[in-house]
Amino acid sequence: MTSDAAAMQAALVAAREAGALGEVPIGAVVLSASGAIVGTGRNEREALRDPTAHAEVMALRSAASHLGTWRLDNCTLVVTLEPCTMCAGALVLARIRRLVFGAWNDEMGAVGTLWDVVRDRRLNHRPEVVSGVLADECGALLQEFFARHRDSEPGPPVR
């Protein structure tokens, strides 16, 4: 069985791949009940020109295709950043059993920061949540990406 930290390392590999391609460096993996990786995803919004191509959605699609079912009720989703509302909703609809995430998402987090979609008692499914796994490493990857992005933008015109 894969540990949460080992699975997060695999998600970080996907995140680094996204960053190398100019995408926001967020990565995700889906683990089967036995701990095997059955789906991998990274941000691909720019490449696919698709606003739904978040790492979590891509990983859920990959796992569903691999397993031949949309019901991922014995699976764990491991992602480098706290999911947004769309991704939190998608993992609830996929019946993910466990969610493991790294860094907190102060701008769009929907697993406790701004909203708590996955624990809403009005929903018919609520996954177990483990937060903060390799949070410093996950957060540093994002901070470095955005620092580089800000540094590469041209400044205001000089008059």
Side-chain angles (χ1 to χ4, degrees):
M1 182 168 211
T2 304
S3 73
D4 290 345
M8 188 62 74
Q9 287 293 347
L12 279 162
V13 168
R16 287 185 192 99
E17 290 170 357
L21 296 171
E23 302 277 355
V24 175
I26 301 170
V29 296
V30 176
L31 307 176
S32 68
S34 68
I37 294 176
V38 294
T40 303
R42 63 178 186 239
N43 268 3
E44 295 188 52
R45 293 185 308 166
E46 301 298 332
L48 299 178
R49 295 177 178 86
D50 179 354
T52 69
H54 289 202
E56 300 94 324
V57 172
M58 303 307 285
L60 292 172
R61 288 175 181 164
S62 174
S65 177
H66 177 84
L67 296 172
T69 181
W70 64 268
R71 291 181 184 267
L72 304 177
D73 50 359
N74 290 317
C75 294
T76 297
L77 174 65
V78 180
V79 61
T80 58
L81 183 67
E82 176 188 6
C84 68
T85 53
M86 176 185 70
C87 295
L91 71 94
V92 167
L93 292 173
R95 311 295 196 267
I96 288 290
R97 183 178 59 83
R98 282 180 82 233
L99 166 65
V100 176
F101 70 87
W104 291 92
N105 185 346
D106 293 335
E107 294 180 4
M108 298 179 70
V111 185
T113 298
L114 299 179
W115 300 279
D116 203 349
V117 172
V118 300
R119 294 183 190 99
D120 190 320
R121 296 213 175 272
R122 295 170 292 183
L123 299 175
N124 66 346
H125 178 75
R126 288 179 297 282
E128 173 190 343
V129 177
V130 177
S131 59
V133 175
L134 301 181
D136 291 343
E137 189 173 347
C138 293
L141 187 61
L142 288 160
Q143 289 171 342
E144 291 164 9
F145 174 83
F146 286 114
R148 280 192 316 272
H149 183 59
R150 281 189 297 276
D151 291 344
S152 68
E153 291 179 353
V158 177
R159 294 179 190 203

